Amino acid sequence: MRYFLFITFCACCYITWGQQVYFNDDSLRMIWGEDVVNVTTGGTQQVSIIGKCDGDYYVLIGNQLEKYDTLLRFKKSKKLSLSYKNKPLTLEKIIASGDQLYVLSSFLNVKLNKKFLFVQTINKISLKLDSNLKKIAEIEIKSPFDAGRFEIKHNDAGQNLVYFIQPKNKRRISVLAYNKNFELEWKNEYQFRNNVLIEQILITKEHDVHVIGITYDLKPNKFKKYKDYNKYEYHILSFFDNGQVIKEHEINLGNKIITSAQMTSNNNQNLLLTGLYMDDEETEGVFFAKANKNSHQVVLEKFYNLGKSYFQEHIYEKGLSRGHPPIFDYVLKDVHVHENGSVSLITEQHYILEQMEHYPPSRVMLFYHHHYNDILLFHFGINGELLWDRSIKKHQYSRNDNGYFLSLSSFAIDDKIQIVYNDTRKNLNPENDKVFAFHNVVSNTVITSVSVDVHKGTIKKSPFTAQKKVDVLLVPKQSIVLDEHLFLLGKKGKHHRFVAFDKQ
Amino acid sequence: MYALMKRYLIILCLFLNVGVFAQSDSLDYFFDDGGISSSTKTINLHLLSPLNGTYTISLENSFTKQIGLDIGASYLTNYYHPELEFTSVDFEPQGGFGYSLQPKVYFDIPRTKTLERYFSLLFRQKFYQVELEKSRVYTDIGSTIGLHQDFGRRLVLDYSIGIFYRSYSYSQKVNTKNYLQGSLLALVSVRVGLKI
């Protein structure tokens, strides 16, 4: 009997060693994995969450590829060394597509004036690179300093897309579509009337490709959306029928200016476009548009004017003047399409203030103050009617760390939207009207989960608390939604760990 | 007949070979950049050293991505102006030669591909010919920090600042007693290089 108890105790220790599970009163589960030793605070560029393949999570930390199981326990790590006959390759992206891991890398050949994109697979057991390097795309470069960038996108159906703006002609976009094994299905090009920035690309289940492009008539490095807001236009470029049919549609709203927009598609594969706008008189609001998938025509366009001061009232710094309309400080975080066809839009207020301080006799220091404030939610019905709008009071602040622990992550499950972010314990008291700022102080931090019922428009805040302090922080900018759960990077104590949220 | 067949076979084989040589879709074609990306050696010309009366050329070899060694050779003119020196030295050289050794350690700068920073140790000696002196030798030991930037295909620019201790010994022809002095100097260096 004693032997049996001892074995059971050891098994429990093994299962929970380095791993912790928390629940909030909304039945949301938060699982923390083991320590990740290669990550340093502030190095957001080091960590790239790749995705899930055959039940295991894969992440890239620096040039180390690491594998974790479903309980976030470390399984294997391998240093990636990309080269071909001693010529170094630049890592572009690692993709988990279908049941395979693909590495996309590039090589800049200054003699041929071209940049090539290659793909090869990774052995999921040994994490070694397979010797099946294959060239899949090329860019004709203008100079070694203006070599363009390959942008790579893939969807849940395993369809992959490579697109880029041609360095020699900043009005021209090239699009190449591949199947899940990176075999080319089609390729095409399109030239806009002016220089173009790609805001978003969407691949539908039917392998149609839709592009939101912002065209502007200025030098590429001089264009800033919030400064030049009367000098740019939004366009939607669509590729249908295996890229053979191209349609471009300029979103001409008369005196209205789109400040941010995001595409998605509903269950009927119609293209939906939603976002924020302002007009000449600086009144600001949200819009919703729908294009029919067969006729490719915009069949529905609705604008909801929320008033001049709606977005201004969420700024916490009194008297702060940003020099541009406050709507430009709102970032579209997520668009969720629900089973009944309704659409939810999540936006967050974000801005950075620069401050220069002089320290005699000759030292000058530059401070970047990062602010991530209120979350604004908008819910549209299937016909684009604005059913409700809500705001979640939030005030996060940090300095000179790129807002490492700030912002939010969200995922949709069972017609509810779950939003998680770091907050201060001072905001736990529901009777307190004032919103206190979260300042990266670990000992005072609580992970807050906000559950939004999309049918009723009700909001429920459910922080993760424990009898004693949990001592954890999320890194919301390093997150990915996989199969109705959220996987992201976090920090517990001195070490980073991976954390997953799902519904029990 | 046999000779004719043989001739046809030879011509056929030649065409087959030409087809193979013209094939450009192998991976080697995409990576053939004249050896630029795998170049480990750079010849550098020091642009500011003539201000001190020195013409210096050096060869840098990269052993790994992080570690390199720069070996330089200098021609010393009859003009001398000290580097940023904290104590002044006055003498009139009549030429000479010198050499330098500079091991370097490179650090990537995140999000940049053509710019790297480095830390190096510097050891160099300059042998001056001076009238009424048997010899004058300057020995410099110090360290520098710098930036290394790729420009275009084979061109590189290297900027560094540093500090070093200079000891100089000299003995006069008439009085063979050796003198030894030292001082602390600052160094600013700009080099243009060519990858080979």
Side-chain angles (χ1 to χ4, degrees):
Chain A
M1 182 63 177
R2 270 185 287 183
Y3 182 70
F4 172 74
L5 284 171
F6 175 72
I7 296 293
T8 309
F9 174 73
C10 289
C12 291
C13 285
Y14 173 73
I15 290 166
T16 60
W17 180 260
Q19 180 198 17
Q20 284 161 307
V21 183
Y22 301 94
F23 295 91
N24 67 358
D25 55 8
D26 198 36
S27 303
L28 192 68
R29 183 172 67 163
M30 175 171 69
I31 310 170
W32 284 81
E34 298 169 339
D35 286 349
V36 178
V37 296
N38 294 322
V39 182
T40 56
T41 298
T44 51
Q45 68 275 18
Q46 282 191 316
V47 179
S48 172
I49 298 176
I50 297 164
K52 207 171 175 183
C53 199
D54 283 353
D56 291 325
Y57 293 103
Y58 291 87
V59 295
L60 188 68
I61 301 175
N63 60 353
Q64 291 272 131
L65 179 63
E66 299 197 349
K67 183 161 75 169
Y68 294 80
D69 66 13
T70 47
L71 295 177
L72 308 180
R73 288 178 301 208
F74 173 77
K75 280 178 86 169
K76 197 171 175 67
S77 171
K78 181 96 179 120
K79 187 175 176 183
L80 278 185
S81 180
L82 297 168
S83 65
Y84 175 82
K85 292 186 180 177
N86 293 326
K87 305 240 168 136
L89 287 159
T90 304
L91 175 67
E92 297 284 340
K93 200 167 184 175
I94 300 182
I95 288 176
S97 178
D99 58 354
Q100 194 58 266
L101 278 177
Y102 293 93
V103 174
L104 290 119
S105 54
S106 65
F107 180 75
L108 176 61
N109 189 320
V110 294
K111 181 180 160 192
L112 298 175
N113 270 337
K114 286 186 180 178
K115 186 170 171 182
F116 299 107
L117 183 68
F118 300 91
V119 69
Q120 66 192 119
T121 53
I122 298 176
N123 185 302
K124 286 174 290 186
I125 299 169
S126 63
L127 299 186
K128 283 185 185 171
L129 290 164
D130 293 326
S131 54
N132 53 1
L133 194 68
K134 182 173 79 167
K135 186 212 98 172
I136 59 169
E138 61 183 61
I139 294 178
E140 209 164 307
I141 67 172
K142 193 175 168 183
S143 77
F145 301 105
D146 190 5
R149 263 181 56 175
F150 291 108
E151 302 286 353
I152 298 140
K153 181 119 178 124
H154 71 286
N155 66 3
D156 293 337
Q159 292 153 345
N160 299 300
L161 202 74
V162 173
Y163 63 97
F164 51 89
I165 303 292
Q166 297 191 6
K168 285 188 174 180
N169 181 357
K170 299 255 189 285
R171 304 174 181 197
R172 197 164 191 87
I173 177 175
S174 296
V175 178
L176 300 93
Y178 302 88
N179 65 10
K180 66 175 185 177
N181 297 322
F182 276 97
E183 289 155 0
L184 183 69
E185 291 189 340
W186 58 265
K187 63 178 181 180
N188 214 330
E189 292 180 350
Y190 184 80
Q191 177 152 321
F192 289 90
R193 277 200 308 267
N194 278 322
N195 293 326
V196 66
L197 281 173
I198 303 301
E199 181 108 319
Q200 187 199 355
I201 273 201
L202 177 73
I203 315 172
T204 67
K205 285 180 188 166
E206 292 159 358
H207 220 163
D208 295 333
V209 174
H210 304 281
V211 181
I212 292 183
I214 301 174
T215 60
Y216 55 95
D217 190 18
L218 288 167
K219 283 187 182 175
N221 57 350
K222 299 283 183 209
F223 171 70
K224 291 272 186 280
K225 213 199 294 189
Y226 61 84
K227 279 197 305 186
D228 303 307
Y229 52 82
N230 54 351
K231 296 176 191 168
Y232 69 85
E233 293 167 349
Y234 268 75
H235 293 251
I236 294 185
L237 174 68
S238 300
F239 296 85
F240 302 101
D241 297 335
N242 283 329
Q244 300 313 306
V245 175
I246 301 177
K247 285 199 183 250
E248 192 212 331
H249 175 75
E250 180 194 334
I251 307 175
N252 189 344
L253 308 177
N255 64 341
K256 296 182 183 64
I257 300 160
I258 292 182
T259 61
S260 51
Q262 195 159 336
M263 284 186 299
T264 186
S265 59
N266 63 8
N267 299 330
N268 297 328
Q269 298 309 309
N270 291 315
L271 186 67
L272 308 176
L273 184 73
T274 181
L276 305 174
Y277 80 95
M278 59 177 263
D279 66 18
D280 290 352
E281 294 169 12
E282 296 188 3
T283 52
E284 299 158 353
V286 293
F287 73 91
F288 181 93
K290 183 160 74 175
N292 181 277
K293 67 168 181 174
N294 293 321
S295 65
H296 312 313
Q297 297 296 320
V298 175
V299 296
L300 183 68
E301 230 174 45
K302 291 201 171 170
F303 297 90
Y304 298 95
N305 183 350
L306 298 169
K308 198 169 180 176
S309 60
Y310 181 88
F311 292 93
Q312 176 73 30
E313 68 189 42
H314 298 283
I315 292 181
Y316 290 104
E317 286 70 35
K318 289 194 176 131
L320 175 70
S321 170
R322 298 278 293 135
H324 53 256
I327 196 168
F328 281 100
D329 289 330
Y330 283 83
V331 177
L332 297 191
K333 296 298 293 184
D334 280 311
V335 175
H336 295 289
V337 180
H338 305 287
E339 279 186 16
N340 63 354
S342 61
V343 176
S344 298
L345 174 66
I346 303 175
T347 68
E348 182 186 33
Q349 189 190 63
H350 164 53
Y351 52 87
I352 303 171
L353 301 176
E354 288 181 23
Q355 179 191 13
M356 194 179 286
E357 288 280 342
H358 293 270
Y359 295 94
S362 58
R363 207 164 121 222
V364 174
M365 287 194 66
L366 197 57
F367 295 103
Y368 292 98
H369 302 274
H370 297 268
H371 295 265
Y372 287 79
N373 295 338
D374 289 358
I375 303 166
L376 300 182
L377 299 148
F378 304 94
H379 186 70
F380 301 92
I382 54 174
N383 292 320
E385 63 278 21
L386 181 64
L387 296 175
W388 51 258
D389 64 287
R390 299 283 184 268
S391 71
I392 300 170
K393 296 286 177 193
K394 175 170 76 67
H395 189 189
Q396 295 171 316
Y397 163 79
S398 70
R399 191 177 77 171
N400 283 6
D401 68 347
N402 290 319
Y404 191 68
F405 294 110
L406 310 187
S407 191
L408 61 95
S409 293
S410 74
F411 64 111
I413 185 167
D414 295 338
D415 278 348
K416 279 191 180 176
I417 297 172
Q418 303 286 346
I419 300 172
V420 292
Y421 56 91
N422 298 312
D423 202 358
T424 175
R425 288 186 170 271
K426 291 181 188 174
N427 288 329
L428 280 179
N429 187 353
E431 293 172 12
N432 211 335
D433 284 338
K434 188 181 172 186
V435 178
F436 293 93
F438 164 76
H439 278 293
N440 284 4
V441 177
V442 176
S443 59
N444 220 14
T445 296
V446 64
I447 308 255
T448 291
S449 157
V450 178
S451 172
V452 182
D453 187 318
V454 298
H455 296 304
K456 299 173 191 169
T458 53
I459 292 175
K460 185 180 175 188
K461 214 171 174 182
S462 310
F464 284 89
T465 54
Q467 294 299 324
K468 54 181 180 178
K469 287 175 185 173
V470 178
D471 192 25
V472 294
L473 283 168
L474 298 179
V475 184
K477 292 173 187 171
Q478 296 287 343
S479 67
I480 193 169
V481 177
L482 298 163
D483 300 332
E484 290 191 339
H485 67 269
L486 182 67
F487 178 78
L488 68 165
L489 183 64
K491 194 174 180 203
K492 187 166 171 40
K494 290 182 184 173
H495 295 291
H496 282 75
R497 297 187 179 197
F498 290 108
V499 58
F501 290 89
D502 59 17
K503 202 79 171 166
Q504 270 295 82
Chain B
M1 180 69 176
Y2 175 70
L4 195 62
M5 278 285 286
K6 198 172 158 186
R7 203 177 298 165
Y8 280 142
L9 271 171
I10 291 169
I11 292 169
L12 194 65
C13 287
L14 273 174
F15 271 112
L16 280 173
N17 281 337
V18 165
V20 168
F21 286 138
Q23 187 178 357
S24 61
D25 58 355
S26 69
L27 287 177
D28 286 348
Y29 167 76
F30 304 119
F31 290 94
D32 177 16
D33 62 347
I36 294 171
S37 59
S38 55
S39 165
T40 58
K41 292 181 178 52
T42 310
I43 293 183
N44 295 304
L45 184 65
H46 297 222
L47 298 179
L48 296 185
S49 60
L51 296 174
N52 308 124
T54 306
Y55 292 95
T56 305
I57 192 166
S58 63
L59 175 70
E60 182 176 341
N61 188 47
S62 300
F63 298 103
T64 68
K65 199 168 177 290
Q66 278 81 33
I67 297 174
L69 177 65
D70 188 284
I71 301 174
S74 304
Y75 168 69
L76 312 177
T77 66
N78 56 3
Y79 163 79
Y80 174 76
H81 189 282
E83 287 88 343
L84 301 172
E85 195 172 19
F86 301 112
T87 59
S88 64
V89 172
D90 186 21
F91 81 110
E92 291 180 5
Q94 290 173 334
F97 68 94
Y99 72 92
S100 64
L101 290 172
Q102 195 174 2
K104 290 177 165 180
V105 178
Y106 285 93
F107 306 94
D108 282 338
I109 298 176
R111 291 186 291 270
T112 63
K113 292 201 170 104
T114 58
L115 196 61
E116 287 177 298
R117 54 192 163 190
Y118 67 84
F119 169 81
S120 74
L121 298 173
L122 173 69
F123 175 81
R124 67 182 175 194
Q125 285 194 308
K126 294 181 180 178
F127 301 87
Y128 283 100
Q129 292 172 7
V130 184
E131 193 178 354
L132 301 180
E133 286 184 17
K134 274 189 182 173
S135 64
R136 181 182 280 248
V137 181
Y138 283 11
T139 302
D140 301 334
I141 297 176
S143 63
T144 70
I145 53 171
L147 283 174
H148 180 97
Q149 185 165 17
D150 281 341
F151 264 97
R153 290 162 177 74
R154 290 188 184 273
L155 194 65
V156 296
L157 275 181
D158 189 301
Y159 328 84
S160 63
I161 55 171
I163 194 162
F164 59 94
Y165 178 78
R166 169 168 288 172
S167 66
Y168 40 96
S169 66
Y170 62 96
S171 61
Q172 292 172 333
K173 284 176 182 170
V174 174
N175 178 1
T176 55
K177 184 177 177 184
N178 289 332
Y179 297 88
L180 183 67
Q181 290 182 342
S183 63
L184 208 58
L185 292 95
L187 164 75
V188 176
S189 170
V190 176
R191 309 177 199 186
V192 62
L194 193 72
K195 288 186 194 173
I196 55 172

